Amino acid sequence: MFKKLRADINAAKRNDPAARSKFEIWLTYSGVHALSWHRWAHFLYKIKLRLLARMTSQFAKFITGIEIHPAAKIAGGVFIDHGAGVVIGETAEIEEGVVIYQGATLGGTGKQTGKRHPTVKRGAVISAGAKVLGGFTVGEYAKIGAGAVVLKEVPPYATVVGVPGNVVRVNGEKVQNLEQEKRDPIHEEICNLREKLFNLEQELEKLKNKD
């Protein structure tokens, strides 16, 4: 547990340019505090003290503003920056080096059982307000843009933006034309209907001429 605490503090020092010392991080960073409480709650959960584990996680939520289910699996060296409003669900798994910003959610999409929360691989970044919903994997060093709603697998080194989230870059190379995402499907359908109506009118005119 103390080894993971050191890793969490080192991650905060590495990722936050405002951090002046490890001692300051240990005293004042709510993300580090939330992860420390989670380690204890997770231990209680594993030894079947489920109610006490949930009470611990709720207490941690009250003092940090970060809600982490005690069953979630979180490696050492994760950094939750600011952290207010972060929610991490029961079957979520987070690997070393992941950075999570305020308001992010690693949640489910319904009442299904089993693996229903995301697995976030090493080095991924979940930006402010992003919602990653479902039992899929966010690949290594992927970046989820602020406010994105991600409902499907994210490949390694990909950048995802939008609602719903779409992969726009992989390894820094553009893979989609954002202008395509701005098209209006209702307008396109109206245009298609107009074209069909025009063709029908042409056919009707030909039939009238034959008569």
Side-chain angles (χ1 to χ4, degrees), residues 2 8 12 26-27 31 41 63 65 77 84 98 106 114-116 135 144-146 164 170 174 202 207:
F2 290 106
D8 294 339
W26 178 65
L27 283 178
I63 64 173
V98 170
L106 304 180
K115 175 64 173 167
R116 60 191 188 278
I144 309 301
V170 176
K174 193 172 182 180
Q202 292 288 94
L207 290 173

Side-chain angles (χ1 to χ4, degrees), residues 77-105:
V78 170
F79 178 44
I80 301 177
D81 193 10
H82 299 294
V86 167
V87 177
I88 300 174
E90 178 183 7
T91 59
E93 298 177 47
I94 305 174
E95 293 187 355
E96 181 182 355
V98 170
V99 178
I100 303 173
Y101 289 92
Q102 66 271 17
T105 299

Side-chain angles (χ1 to χ4, degrees), residues 30 35 48 54 58 86 100-101 109 144 170 195 208:
S30 59
L35 289 170
K48 308 299 183 183
R54 289 307 300 268
Q58 290 301 302
V86 167
I100 303 173
Y101 289 92
T109 56
I144 309 301
V170 176
E195 183 178 359
K208 286 181 178 179

